[in-house]
Amino acid sequence: MFSRVFILALLLIVACDRDLSDDPIPIVPFADFTINIYFPEYQVLNNDGGFKQFGNLGVRGVIVYRNSASNYSAYEVNCSYHPNEAGSNITIHPSNLYMQCGGCGSTFGFTDGMPTGGIAWRPLRKYRTEFNSPNLTIINEIAN
């Protein structure tokens, strides 16, 4: 009797573990991309907390977020949890406080791309950025 209970308990514990078997985010090279943040279409990046998505970079696009006057983050739109699934796309939550995957529901912070909720366990892919006012460059180099 004890061995049956022990085996059942062990199976329940294993069944509740996170799925760490997902695929890595694919790598799609792109040319370094430079914008002038004073151009009208990019002015949202002049304010802390401002963000803009660029669909022509990375796997499914890149979200650029302004942390401060000289610090920008660029994150792959492809979620880090099961990235090959069709709905595995990151968007900005309507509150503008965090990013969220439409497929798995995981949430991610802006400052480091780390998961803050849900089933994702890896951070979003972060690309290196360089800011030399007024030009911001998203570099085809993984920062994390």
Side-chain angles (χ1 to χ4, degrees):
M1 175 72 174
F2 175 75
S3 63
R4 287 184 191 165
V5 172
F6 178 75
I7 291 172
L8 180 61
L10 184 61
L11 288 173
L12 287 173
I13 291 170
V14 171
C16 293
D17 283 346
R18 289 184 173 189
D19 178 4
L20 302 179
S21 65
D22 60 329
D23 297 323
I25 296 173
I27 295 176
V28 176
F30 58 89
D32 294 351
F33 184 70
T34 301
I35 60 169
N36 181 323
I37 64 167
Y38 296 128
F39 284 8
E41 62 267 32
Y42 307 124
Q43 283 188 351
V44 67
L45 295 172
N46 285 318
N47 300 313
D48 291 355
F51 59 87
K52 182 146 181 79
Q53 184 169 335
F54 298 91
N56 57 334
L57 304 175
V59 178
R60 296 183 184 175
V62 171
I63 293 173
V64 175
Y65 179 81
R66 177 176 157 153
N67 298 299
S68 67
S70 61
N71 185 328
Y72 292 81
S73 297
Y75 297 105
E76 176 66 54
V77 170
N78 205 199
C79 183
S80 62
Y81 185 78
H82 294 292
N84 295 317
E85 292 183 6
S88 185
N89 294 320
I90 299 297
T91 58
I92 306 297
H93 186 267
S95 69
N96 294 340
L97 297 175
Y98 56 90
M99 298 174 280
Q100 184 172 27
C101 177
C104 71
S106 294
T107 58
F108 300 87
F110 282 116
T111 56
D112 56 8
M114 293 297 292
T116 57
I119 56 178
W121 56 276
R122 289 186 300 208
L124 296 175
R125 174 172 294 149
K126 185 176 182 179
Y127 294 103
R128 197 164 67 84
T129 60
E130 287 182 1
F131 183 62
N132 186 6
S133 188
N135 295 319
L136 171 65
T137 302
I138 299 98
I139 299 168
N140 182 21
E141 183 179 303
I142 298 170
N144 58 349

Short mmCIF file of all heavy atoms in Angstrom, two decimals, residues 75-136:
data_model
loop_
_atom_site.label_atom_id
_atom_site.label_comp_id
_atom_site.label_asym_id
_atom_site.label_seq_id
_atom_site.Cartn_x
_atom_site.Cartn_y
_atom_site.Cartn_z
N TYR A 75 13.52 43.61 -27.91
CA TYR A 75 13.16 42.22 -27.65
C TYR A 75 12.52 41.57 -28.87
O TYR A 75 11.68 42.18 -29.54
CB TYR A 75 12.17 42.12 -26.48
CG TYR A 75 12.75 42.62 -25.19
CD1 TYR A 75 12.38 43.85 -24.66
CD2 TYR A 75 13.68 41.87 -24.49
CE1 TYR A 75 12.91 44.31 -23.48
CE2 TYR A 75 14.22 42.32 -23.31
CZ TYR A 75 13.83 43.54 -22.81
OH TYR A 75 14.38 44.00 -21.64
N GLU A 76 12.88 40.33 -29.10
CA GLU A 76 12.26 39.51 -30.14
C GLU A 76 10.78 39.36 -29.80
O GLU A 76 10.41 39.13 -28.65
CB GLU A 76 12.94 38.14 -30.18
CG GLU A 76 12.34 37.16 -31.14
CD GLU A 76 12.50 37.59 -32.57
OE1 GLU A 76 13.62 37.87 -33.01
OE2 GLU A 76 11.47 37.65 -33.26
N VAL A 77 9.92 39.47 -30.79
CA VAL A 77 8.48 39.31 -30.60
C VAL A 77 8.12 37.84 -30.41
O VAL A 77 7.08 37.51 -29.86
CB VAL A 77 7.70 39.94 -31.79
CG1 VAL A 77 6.23 39.58 -31.76
CG2 VAL A 77 7.87 41.45 -31.77
N ASN A 78 8.98 36.95 -30.82
CA ASN A 78 8.77 35.51 -30.68
C ASN A 78 8.92 35.12 -29.21
O ASN A 78 9.96 35.36 -28.61
CB ASN A 78 9.82 34.79 -31.54
CG ASN A 78 9.41 33.42 -31.99
OD1 ASN A 78 10.26 32.65 -32.35
ND2 ASN A 78 8.16 33.10 -31.99
N CYS A 79 7.89 34.53 -28.62
CA CYS A 79 7.92 34.12 -27.22
C CYS A 79 9.02 33.08 -26.99
O CYS A 79 9.33 32.28 -27.88
CB CYS A 79 6.57 33.56 -26.81
SG CYS A 79 6.46 33.09 -25.05
N SER A 80 9.58 33.06 -25.80
CA SER A 80 10.63 32.10 -25.47
C SER A 80 10.07 30.72 -25.11
O SER A 80 10.82 29.76 -25.00
CB SER A 80 11.48 32.63 -24.31
OG SER A 80 10.69 32.79 -23.14
N TYR A 81 8.77 30.61 -24.94
CA TYR A 81 8.15 29.32 -24.61
C TYR A 81 7.47 28.76 -25.86
O TYR A 81 6.56 29.37 -26.40
CB TYR A 81 7.12 29.48 -23.49
CG TYR A 81 6.55 28.17 -23.03
CD1 TYR A 81 7.27 27.35 -22.18
CD2 TYR A 81 5.30 27.74 -23.45
CE1 TYR A 81 6.76 26.14 -21.75
CE2 TYR A 81 4.79 26.53 -23.04
CZ TYR A 81 5.52 25.74 -22.19
OH TYR A 81 5.02 24.53 -21.78
N HIS A 82 7.92 27.61 -26.33
CA HIS A 82 7.43 26.98 -27.55
C HIS A 82 7.38 28.00 -28.70
O HIS A 82 6.31 28.28 -29.26
CB HIS A 82 6.06 26.33 -27.34
CG HIS A 82 6.11 25.17 -26.39
ND1 HIS A 82 6.76 24.01 -26.72
CD2 HIS A 82 5.63 25.00 -25.15
CE1 HIS A 82 6.66 23.15 -25.70
NE2 HIS A 82 5.99 23.74 -24.73
N PRO A 83 8.51 28.56 -29.06
CA PRO A 83 8.56 29.66 -30.04
C PRO A 83 8.15 29.28 -31.45
O PRO A 83 7.86 30.17 -32.26
CB PRO A 83 10.02 30.10 -30.01
CG PRO A 83 10.76 28.90 -29.54
CD PRO A 83 9.84 28.20 -28.59
N ASN A 84 8.07 28.00 -31.76
CA ASN A 84 7.71 27.59 -33.12
C ASN A 84 6.20 27.47 -33.32
O ASN A 84 5.75 27.19 -34.42
CB ASN A 84 8.41 26.28 -33.49
CG ASN A 84 9.91 26.47 -33.55
OD1 ASN A 84 10.40 27.46 -34.06
ND2 ASN A 84 10.65 25.53 -32.99
N GLU A 85 5.44 27.67 -32.26
CA GLU A 85 3.98 27.61 -32.39
C GLU A 85 3.47 28.92 -32.99
O GLU A 85 4.00 30.00 -32.72
CB GLU A 85 3.34 27.35 -31.03
CG GLU A 85 3.65 25.95 -30.52
CD GLU A 85 2.97 25.63 -29.20
OE1 GLU A 85 2.15 26.45 -28.72
OE2 GLU A 85 3.26 24.57 -28.65
N ALA A 86 2.43 28.82 -33.79
CA ALA A 86 1.92 29.98 -34.53
C ALA A 86 1.51 31.15 -33.64
O ALA A 86 1.74 32.29 -33.97
CB ALA A 86 0.74 29.55 -35.40
N GLY A 87 0.92 30.90 -32.50
CA GLY A 87 0.43 31.97 -31.64
C GLY A 87 1.44 32.48 -30.63
O GLY A 87 1.10 33.24 -29.73
N SER A 88 2.68 32.09 -30.78
CA SER A 88 3.72 32.42 -29.82
C SER A 88 4.28 33.82 -30.08
O SER A 88 5.45 33.99 -30.39
CB SER A 88 4.81 31.36 -29.90
OG SER A 88 5.78 31.57 -28.91
N ASN A 89 3.43 34.83 -29.95
CA ASN A 89 3.81 36.21 -30.26
C ASN A 89 3.65 37.10 -29.03
O ASN A 89 2.64 37.05 -28.34
CB ASN A 89 2.93 36.78 -31.37
CG ASN A 89 3.17 36.09 -32.69
OD1 ASN A 89 4.30 35.77 -33.04
ND2 ASN A 89 2.10 35.83 -33.41
N ILE A 90 4.64 37.95 -28.83
CA ILE A 90 4.63 38.89 -27.72
C ILE A 90 3.99 40.20 -28.18
O ILE A 90 4.26 40.69 -29.26
CB ILE A 90 6.08 39.18 -27.25
CG1 ILE A 90 6.75 37.90 -26.76
CG2 ILE A 90 6.11 40.27 -26.18
CD1 ILE A 90 6.10 37.25 -25.57
N THR A 91 3.13 40.73 -27.33
CA THR A 91 2.54 42.05 -27.55
C THR A 91 2.67 42.84 -26.25
O THR A 91 2.97 42.28 -25.20
CB THR A 91 1.05 41.96 -27.94
OG1 THR A 91 0.34 41.27 -26.90
CG2 THR A 91 0.86 41.23 -29.26
N ILE A 92 2.42 44.11 -26.33
CA ILE A 92 2.40 44.95 -25.14
C ILE A 92 1.01 44.84 -24.52
O ILE A 92 0.00 45.01 -25.21
CB ILE A 92 2.69 46.43 -25.49
CG1 ILE A 92 4.00 46.56 -26.29
CG2 ILE A 92 2.73 47.28 -24.22
CD1 ILE A 92 5.24 46.14 -25.58
N HIS A 93 0.96 44.54 -23.24
CA HIS A 93 -0.32 44.47 -22.53
C HIS A 93 -0.99 45.85 -22.61
O HIS A 93 -0.31 46.88 -22.61
CB HIS A 93 -0.08 44.07 -21.08
CG HIS A 93 -1.34 43.83 -20.33
ND1 HIS A 93 -1.95 44.83 -19.60
CD2 HIS A 93 -2.12 42.74 -20.22
CE1 HIS A 93 -3.05 44.35 -19.05
NE2 HIS A 93 -3.19 43.08 -19.40
N PRO A 94 -2.33 45.91 -22.70
CA PRO A 94 -3.03 47.20 -22.79
C PRO A 94 -2.68 48.19 -21.68
O PRO A 94 -2.78 49.40 -21.87
CB PRO A 94 -4.51 46.82 -22.74
CG PRO A 94 -4.56 45.42 -23.28
CD PRO A 94 -3.26 44.78 -22.83
N SER A 95 -2.22 47.70 -20.54
CA SER A 95 -1.82 48.60 -19.44
C SER A 95 -0.49 49.28 -19.72
O SER A 95 -0.11 50.22 -19.02
CB SER A 95 -1.70 47.81 -18.14
OG SER A 95 -0.58 46.92 -18.20
N ASN A 96 0.25 48.80 -20.73
CA ASN A 96 1.59 49.28 -21.08
C ASN A 96 2.62 49.03 -19.97
O ASN A 96 3.68 49.65 -19.95
CB ASN A 96 1.61 50.77 -21.44
CG ASN A 96 0.85 51.05 -22.71
OD1 ASN A 96 0.62 50.16 -23.53
ND2 ASN A 96 0.44 52.28 -22.88
N LEU A 97 2.32 48.11 -19.05
CA LEU A 97 3.22 47.83 -17.93
C LEU A 97 4.11 46.62 -18.15
O LEU A 97 5.11 46.45 -17.45
CB LEU A 97 2.41 47.63 -16.65
CG LEU A 97 1.61 48.85 -16.19
CD1 LEU A 97 0.76 48.49 -14.97
CD2 LEU A 97 2.53 50.02 -15.89
N TYR A 98 3.77 45.76 -19.10
CA TYR A 98 4.55 44.55 -19.36
C TYR A 98 4.19 43.99 -20.73
O TYR A 98 3.26 44.45 -21.38
CB TYR A 98 4.32 43.50 -18.27
CG TYR A 98 2.88 43.11 -18.05
CD1 TYR A 98 2.30 42.06 -18.76
CD2 TYR A 98 2.08 43.79 -17.13
CE1 TYR A 98 0.98 41.71 -18.56
CE2 TYR A 98 0.76 43.44 -16.92
CZ TYR A 98 0.21 42.40 -17.64
OH TYR A 98 -1.09 42.04 -17.45
N MET A 99 4.97 42.99 -21.15
CA MET A 99 4.72 42.29 -22.41
C MET A 99 4.06 40.96 -22.09
O MET A 99 4.29 40.38 -21.03
CB MET A 99 6.03 42.07 -23.15
CG MET A 99 6.73 43.37 -23.54
SD MET A 99 8.38 43.11 -24.26
CE MET A 99 9.35 42.85 -22.77
N GLN A 100 3.25 40.47 -23.05
CA GLN A 100 2.50 39.24 -22.82
C GLN A 100 2.44 38.41 -24.09
O GLN A 100 2.33 38.95 -25.19
CB GLN A 100 1.08 39.58 -22.37
CG GLN A 100 0.24 38.38 -22.01
CD GLN A 100 -1.08 38.80 -21.38
OE1 GLN A 100 -1.59 39.89 -21.62
NE2 GLN A 100 -1.63 37.93 -20.57
N CYS A 101 2.52 37.09 -23.93
CA CYS A 101 2.41 36.17 -25.06
C CYS A 101 0.94 35.84 -25.29
O CYS A 101 0.24 35.43 -24.37
CB CYS A 101 3.20 34.89 -24.80
SG CYS A 101 3.01 33.68 -26.14
N GLY A 102 0.50 36.00 -26.54
CA GLY A 102 -0.87 35.67 -26.88
C GLY A 102 -1.14 34.18 -26.90
O GLY A 102 -2.28 33.75 -26.81
N GLY A 103 -0.09 33.36 -27.01
CA GLY A 103 -0.27 31.91 -27.06
C GLY A 103 -0.32 31.27 -25.69
O GLY A 103 -1.30 30.65 -25.31
N CYS A 104 0.74 31.43 -24.91
CA CYS A 104 0.83 30.75 -23.62
C CYS A 104 0.39 31.62 -22.45
O CYS A 104 0.22 31.13 -21.34
CB CYS A 104 2.25 30.21 -23.38
SG CYS A 104 3.49 31.47 -23.06
N GLY A 105 0.24 32.93 -22.67
CA GLY A 105 -0.20 33.83 -21.61
C GLY A 105 0.91 34.29 -20.68
O GLY A 105 0.65 35.04 -19.74
N SER A 106 2.14 33.89 -20.91
CA SER A 106 3.24 34.31 -20.06
C SER A 106 3.45 35.82 -20.17
O SER A 106 3.17 36.42 -21.21
CB SER A 106 4.53 33.59 -20.45
OG SER A 106 4.42 32.21 -20.19
N THR A 107 3.95 36.41 -19.10
CA THR A 107 4.23 37.84 -19.08
C THR A 107 5.73 38.06 -18.87
O THR A 107 6.42 37.23 -18.28
CB THR A 107 3.43 38.54 -17.97
OG1 THR A 107 3.76 37.96 -16.70
CG2 THR A 107 1.94 38.44 -18.22
N PHE A 108 6.21 39.20 -19.37
CA PHE A 108 7.64 39.51 -19.34
C PHE A 108 7.84 40.97 -18.97
O PHE A 108 7.07 41.83 -19.39
CB PHE A 108 8.27 39.25 -20.71
CG PHE A 108 8.13 37.83 -21.17
CD1 PHE A 108 7.00 37.40 -21.87
CD2 PHE A 108 9.13 36.90 -20.92
CE1 PHE A 108 6.86 36.10 -22.29
CE2 PHE A 108 9.00 35.59 -21.34
CZ PHE A 108 7.87 35.18 -22.03
N GLY A 109 8.91 41.25 -18.21
CA GLY A 109 9.25 42.61 -17.83
C GLY A 109 9.99 43.33 -18.93
O GLY A 109 10.69 42.72 -19.74
N PHE A 110 9.87 44.65 -18.95
CA PHE A 110 10.53 45.47 -19.97
C PHE A 110 12.03 45.63 -19.73
O PHE A 110 12.79 45.72 -20.67
CB PHE A 110 9.90 46.87 -20.03
CG PHE A 110 8.60 46.92 -20.76
CD1 PHE A 110 7.45 47.27 -20.10
CD2 PHE A 110 8.54 46.63 -22.12
CE1 PHE A 110 6.24 47.33 -20.79
CE2 PHE A 110 7.34 46.70 -22.81
CZ PHE A 110 6.19 47.05 -22.13
N THR A 111 12.45 45.70 -18.49
CA THR A 111 13.85 46.04 -18.24
C THR A 111 14.82 44.92 -18.59
O THR A 111 15.94 45.19 -18.99
CB THR A 111 14.07 46.44 -16.77
OG1 THR A 111 13.62 45.40 -15.92
CG2 THR A 111 13.34 47.74 -16.46
N ASP A 112 14.39 43.67 -18.43
CA ASP A 112 15.31 42.56 -18.70
C ASP A 112 14.71 41.45 -19.54
O ASP A 112 15.39 40.50 -19.88
CB ASP A 112 15.83 41.99 -17.38
CG ASP A 112 14.72 41.53 -16.45
OD1 ASP A 112 13.54 41.52 -16.85
OD2 ASP A 112 15.03 41.18 -15.29
N GLY A 113 13.42 41.53 -19.87
CA GLY A 113 12.77 40.50 -20.68
C GLY A 113 12.54 39.19 -19.94
O GLY A 113 12.16 38.19 -20.54
N MET A 114 12.74 39.19 -18.62
CA MET A 114 12.56 37.97 -17.83
C MET A 114 11.06 37.68 -17.65
O MET A 114 10.26 38.60 -17.55
CB MET A 114 13.21 38.12 -16.45
CG MET A 114 14.73 38.20 -16.50
SD MET A 114 15.52 36.71 -17.16
CE MET A 114 15.18 35.53 -15.89
N PRO A 115 10.71 36.39 -17.57
CA PRO A 115 9.31 36.05 -17.31
C PRO A 115 8.88 36.54 -15.93
O PRO A 115 9.63 36.43 -14.96
CB PRO A 115 9.29 34.51 -17.35
CG PRO A 115 10.59 34.09 -17.89
CD PRO A 115 11.54 35.21 -17.75
N THR A 116 7.69 37.11 -15.87
CA THR A 116 7.15 37.58 -14.59
C THR A 116 5.89 36.82 -14.20
O THR A 116 5.36 37.01 -13.12
CB THR A 116 6.83 39.09 -14.66
OG1 THR A 116 5.93 39.32 -15.75
CG2 THR A 116 8.09 39.91 -14.85
N GLY A 117 5.41 35.96 -15.10
CA GLY A 117 4.23 35.15 -14.83
C GLY A 117 3.99 34.19 -15.97
O GLY A 117 4.54 34.37 -17.06
N GLY A 118 3.21 33.15 -15.71
CA GLY A 118 2.90 32.17 -16.75
C GLY A 118 3.89 31.03 -16.77
O GLY A 118 4.65 30.82 -15.82
N ILE A 119 3.91 30.30 -17.88
CA ILE A 119 4.70 29.07 -17.95
C ILE A 119 6.07 29.24 -18.61
O ILE A 119 6.88 28.33 -18.56
CB ILE A 119 3.91 27.95 -18.67
CG1 ILE A 119 3.47 28.41 -20.06
CG2 ILE A 119 2.72 27.52 -17.85
CD1 ILE A 119 2.72 27.36 -20.86
N ALA A 120 6.34 30.38 -19.20
CA ALA A 120 7.66 30.59 -19.81
C ALA A 120 8.72 30.61 -18.70
O ALA A 120 8.49 31.15 -17.62
CB ALA A 120 7.69 31.90 -20.59
N TRP A 121 9.86 30.05 -19.00
CA TRP A 121 10.94 30.00 -17.99
C TRP A 121 12.22 30.66 -18.48
O TRP A 121 13.14 30.87 -17.70
CB TRP A 121 11.20 28.56 -17.57
CG TRP A 121 11.53 27.64 -18.70
CD1 TRP A 121 10.64 26.99 -19.52
CD2 TRP A 121 12.82 27.25 -19.15
NE1 TRP A 121 11.31 26.24 -20.46
CE2 TRP A 121 12.66 26.37 -20.24
CE3 TRP A 121 14.12 27.56 -18.73
CZ2 TRP A 121 13.73 25.82 -20.92
CZ3 TRP A 121 15.18 27.00 -19.40
CH2 TRP A 121 14.97 26.13 -20.48
N ARG A 122 12.28 30.99 -19.74
CA ARG A 122 13.46 31.68 -20.29
C ARG A 122 13.10 33.12 -20.61
O ARG A 122 11.95 33.42 -20.94
CB ARG A 122 13.94 31.01 -21.58
CG ARG A 122 14.56 29.67 -21.37
CD ARG A 122 15.13 29.16 -22.67
NE ARG A 122 14.07 29.04 -23.66
CZ ARG A 122 14.07 28.20 -24.66
NH1 ARG A 122 15.08 27.40 -24.84
NH2 ARG A 122 13.07 28.16 -25.51
N PRO A 123 14.09 34.02 -20.57
CA PRO A 123 13.81 35.41 -20.95
C PRO A 123 13.58 35.50 -22.46
O PRO A 123 13.94 34.60 -23.23
CB PRO A 123 15.08 36.15 -20.55
CG PRO A 123 16.15 35.12 -20.58
CD PRO A 123 15.48 33.82 -20.18
N LEU A 124 13.00 36.61 -22.87
CA LEU A 124 12.87 36.90 -24.29
C LEU A 124 14.26 37.13 -24.86
O LEU A 124 15.18 37.55 -24.15
CB LEU A 124 12.02 38.15 -24.51
CG LEU A 124 10.56 38.07 -24.07
CD1 LEU A 124 9.90 39.43 -24.24
CD2 LEU A 124 9.83 37.00 -24.85
N ARG A 125 14.42 36.87 -26.15
CA ARG A 125 15.70 37.20 -26.79
C ARG A 125 15.82 38.72 -26.83
O ARG A 125 14.91 39.42 -27.26
CB ARG A 125 15.76 36.63 -28.20
CG ARG A 125 17.04 37.12 -28.91
CD ARG A 125 17.28 36.45 -30.22
NE ARG A 125 17.54 35.04 -30.00
CZ ARG A 125 17.21 34.09 -30.86
NH1 ARG A 125 16.61 34.39 -31.98
NH2 ARG A 125 17.49 32.83 -30.60
N LYS A 126 16.96 39.19 -26.37
CA LYS A 126 17.22 40.63 -26.33
C LYS A 126 18.35 40.93 -27.30
O LYS A 126 19.38 40.27 -27.28
CB LYS A 126 17.60 41.05 -24.92
CG LYS A 126 17.77 42.53 -24.73
CD LYS A 126 18.05 42.84 -23.26
CE LYS A 126 18.16 44.33 -23.05
NZ LYS A 126 18.40 44.65 -21.63
N TYR A 127 18.14 41.94 -28.13
CA TYR A 127 19.17 42.38 -29.07
C TYR A 127 19.89 43.60 -28.49
O TYR A 127 19.30 44.41 -27.77
CB TYR A 127 18.55 42.74 -30.42
CG TYR A 127 17.96 41.54 -31.13
CD1 TYR A 127 16.59 41.33 -31.14
CD2 TYR A 127 18.78 40.62 -31.78
CE1 TYR A 127 16.05 40.22 -31.79
CE2 TYR A 127 18.24 39.52 -32.43
CZ TYR A 127 16.88 39.33 -32.42
OH TYR A 127 16.35 38.24 -33.06
N ARG A 128 21.14 43.74 -28.86
CA ARG A 128 21.94 44.87 -28.42
C ARG A 128 21.47 46.14 -29.11
O ARG A 128 21.08 46.12 -30.28
CB ARG A 128 23.42 44.60 -28.72
CG ARG A 128 24.37 45.50 -27.97
CD ARG A 128 25.79 44.97 -27.99
NE ARG A 128 26.41 44.99 -29.30
CZ ARG A 128 27.01 46.05 -29.82
NH1 ARG A 128 27.07 47.18 -29.16
NH2 ARG A 128 27.56 45.98 -31.02
N THR A 129 21.48 47.23 -28.37
CA THR A 129 21.13 48.54 -28.93
C THR A 129 22.26 49.53 -28.64
O THR A 129 22.99 49.37 -27.66
CB THR A 129 19.82 49.09 -28.33
OG1 THR A 129 19.98 49.24 -26.92
CG2 THR A 129 18.64 48.20 -28.64
N GLU A 130 22.39 50.51 -29.49
CA GLU A 130 23.32 51.62 -29.27
C GLU A 130 22.58 52.92 -29.54
O GLU A 130 21.88 53.03 -30.55
CB GLU A 130 24.53 51.53 -30.21
CG GLU A 130 25.50 50.44 -29.85
CD GLU A 130 26.72 50.41 -30.77
OE1 GLU A 130 26.83 51.25 -31.70
OE2 GLU A 130 27.55 49.52 -30.56
N PHE A 131 22.74 53.86 -28.63
CA PHE A 131 22.08 55.15 -28.80
C PHE A 131 23.14 56.25 -28.85
O PHE A 131 23.94 56.41 -27.94
CB PHE A 131 21.11 55.42 -27.66
CG PHE A 131 20.35 56.71 -27.81
CD1 PHE A 131 19.51 56.89 -28.89
CD2 PHE A 131 20.50 57.72 -26.90
CE1 PHE A 131 18.81 58.08 -29.05
CE2 PHE A 131 19.81 58.91 -27.04
CZ PHE A 131 18.96 59.09 -28.12
N ASN A 132 23.15 56.96 -29.97
CA ASN A 132 24.01 58.11 -30.17
C ASN A 132 23.09 59.20 -30.70
O ASN A 132 22.88 59.30 -31.90
CB ASN A 132 25.14 57.78 -31.16
CG ASN A 132 26.14 58.88 -31.29
OD1 ASN A 132 26.09 59.87 -30.57
ND2 ASN A 132 27.06 58.72 -32.23
N SER A 133 22.51 59.96 -29.78
CA SER A 133 21.44 60.90 -30.10
C SER A 133 21.69 61.68 -31.39
O SER A 133 22.78 62.19 -31.59
CB SER A 133 21.26 61.88 -28.95
OG SER A 133 20.12 62.67 -29.16
N PRO A 134 20.71 61.70 -32.25
CA PRO A 134 19.35 61.18 -32.14
C PRO A 134 19.17 59.78 -32.72
O PRO A 134 18.05 59.31 -32.87
CB PRO A 134 18.56 62.18 -32.98
CG PRO A 134 19.48 62.51 -34.11
CD PRO A 134 20.86 62.51 -33.49
N ASN A 135 20.27 59.09 -33.03
CA ASN A 135 20.17 57.79 -33.71
C ASN A 135 20.19 56.62 -32.73
O ASN A 135 21.06 56.53 -31.87
CB ASN A 135 21.29 57.64 -34.73
CG ASN A 135 21.18 58.64 -35.84
OD1 ASN A 135 20.09 58.91 -36.34
ND2 ASN A 135 22.30 59.22 -36.23
N LEU A 136 19.23 55.74 -32.93
CA LEU A 136 19.16 54.50 -32.17
C LEU A 136 19.36 53.35 -33.14
O LEU A 136 18.67 53.27 -34.16
CB LEU A 136 17.79 54.37 -31.49
CG LEU A 136 17.49 53.03 -30.82
CD1 LEU A 136 18.44 52.79 -29.64
CD2 LEU A 136 16.04 52.99 -30.36
#
